[in-house]
Amino acid sequence: MKILSGIQPSGQLHIGNYFGMMQTMIGHMEQSELYVFIVDLHALTSVRQRDKLAAGTLEAAADFLALGLDPDKCQFWVQSDVPEVCELTWILSTLAPMGLIERCHAFKDKVAKGLEASHGLFSYPVLMAADILLYQADRVPVGRDQKQHLEVARDLAQKFNHEYGETFVVPEPAISDSTAVVPGLDGQKMSKSYGNTIPIFVSGKDLKKRVMAIATDATPVDDPKNPDTCTLYNIFKLFASPARLQEVRDLYLHGGAAYGYIKLELVELIEDYFAEARRKKAQFQADPGMLREILHKGAQKARAKATVTLDLVRDRVGLKY
Ligand code: ADP
Ligand code: TRP
């Protein structure tokens, strides 16, 4: 079983990325053929500062490794180090119906948030399909926000197979329900581009500031509240033990849940949860040469797989003469 997923180096990785994707991927390392990559070409659709993109790429790599990804047990690389993906993107784009891509809501959402409506942003789902199909992935663990993009990848695989003969594996999305959408500080989806995140590696005062900023309503402490619609509770439940979560849930339901105290407890829980990873990240960041070496080796492994697929595709469509 080939499992693949990518993440954009467009800002500090946050707990939504962690629970929506990174944790799942790391968990698959032992049993599956795993493909994890940092999608810098996708990030170009929103990051225009050269240093931010380059540093963000290395930092995302340090994050994954610190959280436990073992590069010897998977393919771990930077998207642009395997240029074959761009050629496949073009080939797929000649098959991609305009209507299919126009229906993707991420483009409209991002433009509504102020991103420039570039052609790259529009065709983002085609590059993502190429990412997935190039490695013949069976399963793609992502947060719910990526479900529609997975459908585009499936549609393009099926269309290609129909037009040119069986070539691509049709990938399945893997969306875990418990963590499908981690809410941000404002209750919307937590996202680097919405400025509402709790970064994985923030700690001390900065962490406290973020957690204290989680939006809560004005219901008095002693009144019953609905935990399931409360942003604070939905973040708390990712970190609390089952027994503690049940206690807090009862306080919500029967009265007595004090948001301020729950926030302070959450700060401690997050500190502890990532303490070990925080130490490891500092070690990786102190050695960017080693990070680059790991990524370049990973790209070589990934590229060897990519060229096999691209060779077949070129032949299928008539680019081999
Ligand atoms: P962002 O929206 O912060 O830019 P990305 O688009 O780079 O994040 O997403 C990387 C991965 O993390 C994807 O699999 C995405 O579905 C997942 N993800 C991002 N935000 C969340 C969230 N709030 N809840 C769950 N998963 C998320
Ligand atoms: N579009 C994804 C996101 O924003 C990132 C991504 C790019 C990806 N290529 C991928 C995810 C391939 C899974 C598989 O989160």
Side-chain angles (χ1 to χ4, degrees), residues 5-10 12-22 39 110 124 141-147 179-184 188-194 197:
S5 197
I7 203 155
Q8 292 195 64
S10 50
Q12 284 178 304
L13 299 188
H14 53 75
I15 61 171
N17 298 138
Y18 179 71
F19 289 104
M21 183 275 215
M22 301 168 86
V39 296
K110 288 180 180 177
Y124 183 112
V142 282
R144 173 150 300 141
D145 59 315
Q146 294 298 315
K147 191 165 184 274
T179 54
V181 178
V182 176
Q188 289 191 73
K189 176 193 119 99
M190 185 176 287
S191 171
K192 288 170 229 128
S193 35
Y194 302 165
T197 69

Side-chain angles (χ1 to χ4, degrees), residues 4-8 21 37 39 42 79 110 124 127-128 131-132 140-142 145-146 149-150:
L4 169 147
S5 197
I7 203 155
Q8 292 195 64
M21 183 275 215
F37 54 120
V39 296
H42 277 110
Q79 184 187 33
K110 288 180 180 177
Y124 183 112
L127 175 58
M128 179 159 161
D131 279 336
I132 298 169
V140 184
V142 282
D145 59 315
Q146 294 298 315
H149 288 160
L150 256 290

